[in-house]
Amino acid sequence: MSFQAYLDAIEDRTGKTPRVLVDEARQRGYDRADVKAGVIVDWLKDEYGLGRGHAMALVHVIRKGPTISTKHVGSTGSHRDATDTLWLDGKAARASA
């Protein structure tokens, strides 16, 4: 599953775009450097029913922003992404962009 596919699945499961969830995390102070990933994972599990893998994808975005490694960009594997910049504004908005 690509990184973007994880974010799209999060949107499907929660009804919220990744950007909205990142904003919620920031409002809670979860973007601070001293916040452990487990705190964020627990919040996403309790509030939205997300599993660890999906939650960790969002942890990455909360901590590092939408840029990802180019390791899988343009590859042919199941983890490939089209670009090194993730789309956070929802699947519908991406389709019209």
Side-chain angles (χ1 to χ4, degrees):
M1 177 180 273
S2 73
F3 208 128
Q4 187 65 58
Y6 270 100
L7 296 184
D8 291 347
I10 289 168
E11 180 180 358
D12 291 341
R13 291 180 184 191
T14 66
K16 296 185 177 192
T17 66
R19 187 169 311 279
V20 168
L21 292 170
V22 169
D23 289 345
E24 283 184 28
R26 287 185 178 137
Q27 290 170 357
R28 294 170 177 263
Y30 292 161
D31 59 332
R32 291 188 334 258
D34 64 329
V35 175
K36 302 284 185 188
V39 171
I40 302 168
V41 169
D42 288 345
W43 163 61
L44 292 168
K45 178 183 177 187
D46 295 344
E47 189 84 17
Y48 297 106
L50 293 182
R52 181 166 180 77
H54 289 86
M56 287 303 293
L58 204 53
V59 166
H60 173 88
V61 175
I62 292 164
R63 290 183 168 176
K64 299 182 180 184
T67 302
I68 60 172
S69 167
T70 59
K71 178 179 180 182
H72 296 294
V73 174
S75 71
T76 58
S78 62
H79 297 291
R80 69 183 174 277
D81 278 287
T83 177
D84 67 348
T85 303
L86 301 167
W87 184 262
L88 303 181
D89 293 319
K91 295 186 307 182
R94 183 174 69 237
S96 64

